[in-house]
Amino acid sequence: MYHKNEAALTPPMGWNSYDYYNTSVTEAEVIANAEYMASNLREYGWEYIVIDIQWSDPNAGTKDEQYINFSHFTIDEFSRQTPAINRFPSAKDGAGFKPLSDFIHSLGLKFGIHIMRGIPRIAAHLHTKIKGSTHTADEIANPYSISKWNPDMYGVDCSKEGAQEYYNSIFELYASWGVDFVKVDDICNTNMYPDNPYSAEKEIEMIHHAIALCGRPMVLSLSPGPALIEKAWHLETYANMWRITDDFWDSYPLLLDMFKRCEIWQGHSKPGCWPDCDMLPIGYIGKGFHHERMTNFTKDEQMTMMTLWCLFRSPLMLGCELTKLDDFTLSLLTNKDVIGLTKHSKRAHQIARNEKSAVWMCKDTLNDDFYCAMFNFTNEPLSVSIGFNELGISGPLAAKNLWTGEVYPDISWAFSTVIAPHGTALFSLSF
Amino acid sequence: MYHKNEAALTPPMGWNSYDYYNTSVTEAEVIANAEYMASNLREYGWEYIVIDIQWSDPNAGTKDEQYINFSHFTIDEFSRQTPAINRFPSAKDGAGFKPLSDFIHSLGLKFGIHIMRGIPRIAAHLHTKIKGSTHTADEIANPYSISKWNPDMYGVDCSKEGAQEYYNSIFELYASWGVDFVKVDDICNTNMYPDNPYSAEKEIEMIHHAIALCGRPMVLSLSPGPALIEKAWHLETYANMWRITDDFWDSYPLLLDMFKRCEIWQGHSKPGCWPDCDMLPIGYIGKGFHHERMTNFTKDEQMTMMTLWCLFRSPLMLGCELTKLDDFTLSLLTNKDVIGLTKHSKRAHQIARNEKSAVWMCKDTLNDDFYCAMFNFTNEPLSVSIGFNELGISGPLAAKNLWTGEVYPDISWAFSTVIAPHGTALFSLSF
Amino acid sequence: MYHKNEAALTPPMGWNSYDYYNTSVTEAEVIANAEYMASNLREYGWEYIVIDIQWSDPNAGTKDEQYINFSHFTIDEFSRQTPAINRFPSAKDGAGFKPLSDFIHSLGLKFGIHIMRGIPRIAAHLHTKIKGSTHTADEIANPYSISKWNPDMYGVDCSKEGAQEYYNSIFELYASWGVDFVKVDDICNTNMYPDNPYSAEKEIEMIHHAIALCGRPMVLSLSPGPALIEKAWHLETYANMWRITDDFWDSYPLLLDMFKRCEIWQGHSKPGCWPDCDMLPIGYIGKGFHHERMTNFTKDEQMTMMTLWCLFRSPLMLGCELTKLDDFTLSLLTNKDVIGLTKHSKRAHQIARNEKSAVWMCKDTLNDDFYCAMFNFTNEPLSVSIGFNELGISGPLAAKNLWTGEVYPDISWAFSTVIAPHGTALFSLSF
Amino acid sequence: MYHKNEAALTPPMGWNSYDYYNTSVTEAEVIANAEYMASNLREYGWEYIVIDIQWSDPNAGTKDEQYINFSHFTIDEFSRQTPAINRFPSAKDGAGFKPLSDFIHSLGLKFGIHIMRGIPRIAAHLHTKIKGSTHTADEIANPYSISKWNPDMYGVDCSKEGAQEYYNSIFELYASWGVDFVKVDDICNTNMYPDNPYSAEKEIEMIHHAIALCGRPMVLSLSPGPALIEKAWHLETYANMWRITDDFWDSYPLLLDMFKRCEIWQGHSKPGCWPDCDMLPIGYIGKGFHHERMTNFTKDEQMTMMTLWCLFRSPLMLGCELTKLDDFTLSLLTNKDVIGLTKHSKRAHQIARNEKSAVWMCKDTLNDDFYCAMFNFTNEPLSVSIGFNELGISGPLAAKNLWTGEVYPDISWAFSTVIAPHGTALFSLSF
């Protein structure tokens, strides 16, 4: 029997086209990033290549508006979006993403795509067919269930005959393409739909069932956040990862806010279930938004981010153009000690948090080690001292600073360190 | 120069197809009601014949749902709805409502139609043309501006070129048909659009300008309510009547509630500006809702309703099938004294209201008379006594009960009467 | 029979201690302001001298906090606040405000005080007596009905025996002191009490009845705003003036906002009923707030304010220290043409308003003249032209600019003028 | 060092006076219940005797209102509530609850009391002293921080000097009395204070610190609920148990609702941290509410409740009069298998929930056993079958129905059972 948790036993790691390309990425650009990953990052655990929103729109990126109202994107006879041929030439002749997916698999990587929940609006208006059903798009589309920010789709009404069949049909197609990861958008923060509080939840369930039926394991990733903590059980039952934040960008207030979100969601990460802090906006980003830049985060802020994401075991998705990676950014992504936390830590929990600092701790699953991270939220260097009794452990122990490599062979009862502004100190503790 | 107030110097009176026929009225049925009105009611001031929602949908009324999702209703090459030929045969060959309108005018009556704000969704998806503009429907439609209860239209974005031209083009068409009255729906209760608080207001302004340009006076009626009292100035500036309530039906709690609404809106009625208490659900109603019935209102409740509507000077729109009018209902509609208040009273104001009763008063414009209405909200007969000093008048005076015809030739300082449960007493006062 | 409207047949005009003295005004300071008014302003209609909040607190103004938590202010044996003797020496020996009131009356002026709705909290806790009742303070006080911003009082529960007697007893006391005007605070914006939506309304009614019984006419002024337009009928029935805004200070955004509020409340001003735009923060203000200053308003903004307040017929209450009045401010207060609008205009209504400008108009009650005011909301001089047809009048006419005195003897069909940034042009129109 | 978790390593079990006595319990009644518990229930783990709200009010229970407005309850010179002597005679001569506590301890039981957060209102108004501080009650009380349902207290402002000292002083007193358990009320559902969202949280922290300082371990129990799941980390850091529901009574809709609340809070129970489903309203309850009755719950509903509470590891507090316990109720409280789950189970989690049924599962900490509970939400008997793969286990195994005692020695791959309406089946599973 298929169990959805097996598709993501550790937090997925990869690359996503959005932060650099916005809606407009092309096949050649995807391939370039995939080749870089295969050559430079794969050995550190990075493996997913994900094409984000609007891949079926031939005009995406050509107008001022991010999403083109009433754009004539490509759909097949069964109301299903297909890749825009002008952007993804290998998709010609009805091949879909199969050729591109095959190539990415040949590099030892995995392939992912983005979709919006629902069915194309135009299909509903034209009464287009649904594969495997005698019903048509107008019969399952809910004209009142729309996204607040994208004009393409109508929500699917789970109470209608043909609704599950529609979702089955699109995942059957994705399975035939070799898709390994699906980021479903406009579905995660169910607070967005005050008039239909349960409809998005029901679409999550239909998608879960469609994946179970399609014959190919796929990671189910839900966006955008913030997901509701009251819905944690539902998310853990039906999805593999879900955004716990609205879109995250390279702004320190957003990073600071993530500490509140991780406080709320601690204890909910486990194999197959990964609360998601969103993409890592480091390296070169923003080109598709007419604002290409090296990340605005300082180096210390980037280490803070990597420490929190890894210790919390968030999925790690790179938002940057990989072919432009600089040495510092690359060093973050290839620090085996830090990245390793996503693979073999457990029970991450917050020890303390106030306006100035926070302390987190977790356990290694491979041995008896612990990890302890301290964070400085202030704009000045901060001396931090924390007694082992506050951590629930007792010394003596040996500590290693995982970012600097410094080793402290024999500590009796407390750490003391000075942390840079907005920075972090991350220690492994061996007894 | 056109002045919108001149289109409705007194509150419009007429018949509307909705309460009896729901979405499905046909030409023959409209004609039958119009002929009845011309023969029996016209001389009392009743003159408008209004075709309500979904006249362009050939399938209206054939499915379980009130409004058919993604129905292929008829539009012309310029994105404008046209009458469904199967329901309105005289509209064939592009004639639109012109033949029916001509017939109604030939009876000495006036002709009105209902529209939803916005442009057909299908026109936006098909990039249909706009008359008088190089822009197309997709360029002026706002994909996020939808009705909460009807699936047909997208709101028109006033900031876009072609938006005003679209509204001009539809009112040009209506003027060519001879339309005298337009009920615009999904536009009045601007609280319905928390994400776009001003868009419906801007559509009201565009419609006002389109009417001013179209060359034919038309009453502009806005629905549904409740309109916001904070927006009274805007409504008085751009419209002729606006609903101060959600849909009104034959239920006593709704009637009771109207006293609160009239309290709020008193002082805002004046030539060309009529806060609207909605249609009169009396006589036979409900057939199109699969619940045909004689109104659930008691006779006393009906007299209460007529008294309040007339004294407050609400527009009077009959919701019932006129060809089935019974004697009692007919007597309500032909009581010249009561109906006359809508024509020649002014300054209606509430004197008192509590849980048991209310008192209203107004002035006659033809002479020095006053009118005073008392209402009993309880389920028992109620003795009411009201001193002239509370009304701001002084006796002696002669009073006439306008519902019973009783005359009290010489009253010195107070009324005393017993009012039936849910009933009313309405007096004219002559000095 | 007492009719509350007779206490304020035109909008009250006077001085209030708050804007300059905050909570700390003394008897000597009140007298100095009263003497100035009698000598310099009385002939222009200014007549009320009002002592604002905390006059019973001997320590008011001595601590950092505006209202001292749990301060031991002075109350009599019947739970009624009395003046702090250290601040109002003439109140000694139980005289209350009678001696001060007598003096102010001797100047030909009228005397007003501020109160908070409710009964002192300490009286409830000590079970103090209520005059004219066998009940005690704890039996009528509602421990859950508190102000959000002042710690002194509990609301009075109208359903309890002794509640009306309490309010009767305090107004009996005020009548014995010779009070002409009572500003009741924490009672007007009934949105402040989501848990008890009707309690403040019931206190308004109890206060109204207490005034009717006390044997002395008193203006009933309600604060703070914004009052709810849905409650207009209630306010017009029970009060003489009510704040349509939160506290107004010398900040242009607040002045601009008042145009929205006057738009909403137009049509509700009539003898005895005055929607209130709050005090005029001109001249020297702010001393009691540790920020004494000449008003931040420019001269043009002050003329804009005076024009709007007078044309709208708001009550006019000076917030400044009168003994420091400069010539310009004095000229505003003694412009008989402008001030006169509050005495003999009617039917003020907004003709137009957009982001750049507004136009208002009203009628003179003494003759056939009209008044027209134009306002420039921009930061640049603005050319304004308005056709007589937009005003609903027809020329030719003679116009006089009431601020400059310029006369235009013969205008045919339109005004054209240039208005200073944030400024106004106010014309009288004679036919 | 004191660690708060050690005060409640397993979920507290005991008796609370509220459900039967409301505000009016007396010393004799407490003793009678304690003696019953010592004789009949102690051996099953029941040990706390808790006196609920209003023990300092001599008049509690003598008026119509549940909480007497402005009642003169007893406080000492340091603003601290003391027991009402007329109700607790042993508290005379300043002994407080020490004699009663000593007696309860002599029975082998533990002693608990209820308090409201804050400081008595009367103390603030009288400027009463705070022990260990030069400040007085008026200086630390927040006049705007009041309970929505009890009139006695003001919240304590943590930013003021003397605030922590006040809380230290009351817990010093409770420690001197021998208190083992404190139920702090008006503090848990921080949504109740929209104007002061963090003040109650700060009071929780002050109380935590006061307990740590007082020298005696005390269970800290917070009420009322629902606690906010977003605040779980704060609650787990500072308290021992917190209500996840508003007051729970003997009504099936409330019981059904608890399944939603347990779904939300699963995973948060651990030694020292117990989400609390509230008291068990079984046996005789309601006397103090003028509605004495045997619980309205059916026997099946009571077993459902006991199963859920025990498996979820909620604290168990009896609300009934123990001296009137009937055999059936007693059998519920002495079922060692079921009660034992609160002592030696872990990782309770929901397997499934829909409108008809739910399934929960947990692990035994003493051996390799599991427990599985199934619930029938319908009004009819329900056949339930659940495969081991859905539970994440594999057979064969032996099962025992813990309510009926039936044993199934060899099951291969699924349970099948029929559950009574509103009833439960609870199995232990041995491999």
Side-chain angles (χ1 to χ4, degrees), chain D residues 238-306:
Chain D
Y238 294 111
N240 295 117
M241 49 191 275
W242 48 89
R243 286 263 301 276
I244 64 172
T245 167
D246 200 348
D247 284 11
F248 179 74
W249 283 100
D250 49 337
S251 146
Y252 188 65
L254 293 178
L255 178 52
L256 200 53
D257 186 58
M258 203 67 74
F259 283 86
K260 293 183 196 166
R261 299 178 183 283
C262 290
E263 175 187 303
I264 291 172
W265 280 94
Q266 63 183 300
H268 290 276
S269 301
K270 61 189 177 199
C273 298
W274 306 110
D276 177 7
C277 296
D278 200 8
M279 287 180 273
L280 300 162
I282 52 179
Y284 274 94
I285 55 176
K287 181 185 173 195
F289 299 89
H290 311 295
H291 179 43
E292 183 165 4
R293 64 185 178 280
M294 175 61 82
T295 181
N296 286 314
F297 281 136
T298 66
K299 288 182 177 178
D300 280 307
E301 289 165 349
Q302 294 180 61
M303 288 187 282
T304 288
M305 178 179 64
M306 290 303 294

Side-chain angles (χ1 to χ4, degrees), chain A residues 128-328:
Chain A
T128 308
K129 284 188 286 185
I130 295 167
K131 191 171 183 215
S133 171
T134 58
H135 296 277
T136 47
D138 53 302
E139 295 177 272
I140 67 165
N142 179 347
Y144 308 107
S145 176
I146 62 175
S147 166
K148 289 197 171 211
W149 49 272
N150 178 287
D152 294 348
M153 314 295 272
Y154 288 125
V156 167
D157 182 343
C158 74
S159 71
K160 297 294 176 63
E161 289 182 22
Q164 183 66 55
E165 285 75 7
Y166 167 72
Y167 274 119
N168 293 349
S169 79
I170 63 172
F171 281 90
E172 176 191 78
L173 182 64
Y174 304 156
S176 79
W177 290 345
V179 168
D180 305 299
F181 180 108
V182 182
K183 174 182 174 180
V184 185
D185 215 339
D186 190 43
I187 202 165
C188 185
N189 174 359
T190 46
N191 260 355
M192 292 186 299
Y193 314 104
D195 296 328
N196 297 289
Y198 300 111
S199 63
E201 277 182 55
K202 291 296 182 187
E203 291 190 85
I204 292 171
E205 295 176 26
M206 287 193 284
I207 289 167
H208 166 82
H209 294 308
I211 292 175
L213 286 171
C214 80
R216 181 178 182 90
M218 292 184 198
V219 175
L220 176 55
S221 165
L222 305 182
S223 279
L228 307 184
I229 182 68
E230 291 86 350
K231 303 293 184 186
W233 183 79
H234 189 269
L235 293 162
E236 292 168 20
T237 303
Y238 295 110
N240 294 119
M241 48 191 275
W242 48 90
R243 286 264 301 277
I244 62 172
T245 167
D246 201 347
D247 285 10
F248 179 73
W249 284 100
D250 48 338
S251 145
Y252 188 64
L254 293 177
L255 178 52
L256 199 54
D257 187 58
M258 203 67 74
F259 283 86
K260 293 183 196 165
R261 299 179 184 282
C262 289
E263 175 187 305
I264 291 172
W265 280 94
Q266 63 182 299
H268 289 276
S269 300
K270 60 190 177 198
C273 298
W274 306 110
D276 176 7
C277 296
D278 200 8
M279 287 179 273
L280 300 162
I282 51 178
Y284 274 94
I285 56 176
K287 181 185 173 196
F289 299 89
H290 311 295
H291 179 43
E292 183 165 2
R293 64 185 178 278
M294 174 61 83
T295 181
N296 285 315
F297 280 137
T298 66
K299 289 182 177 178
D300 280 308
E301 289 165 350
Q302 293 180 61
M303 288 187 282
T304 288
M305 179 178 64
M306 291 301 295
T307 302
L308 181 63
W309 266 237
C310 291
L311 189 144
F312 180 74
R313 302 189 80 188
S314 171
L316 299 180
M317 286 284 162
L318 299 165
C320 55
E321 171 60 23
L322 296 182
T323 63
K324 295 190 174 186
L325 267 191
D326 58 294
D327 288 348
F328 174 75

Side-chain angles (χ1 to χ4, degrees), chain C residues 62-98:
Chain C
T62 65
K63 298 212 176 176
D64 285 348
E65 60 218 81
Q66 186 177 24
Y67 306 112
I68 302 171
N69 290 345
F70 314 109
S71 185
H72 284 170
F73 49 78
T74 55
I75 63 174
D76 72 9
E77 64 177 315
F78 294 119
S79 312
R80 302 178 296 191
Q81 284 174 290
T82 55
I85 305 298
N86 63 331
R87 293 172 50 201
F88 300 95
S90 74
K92 70 179 188 296
D93 304 330
F97 275 130
K98 183 71 164 56

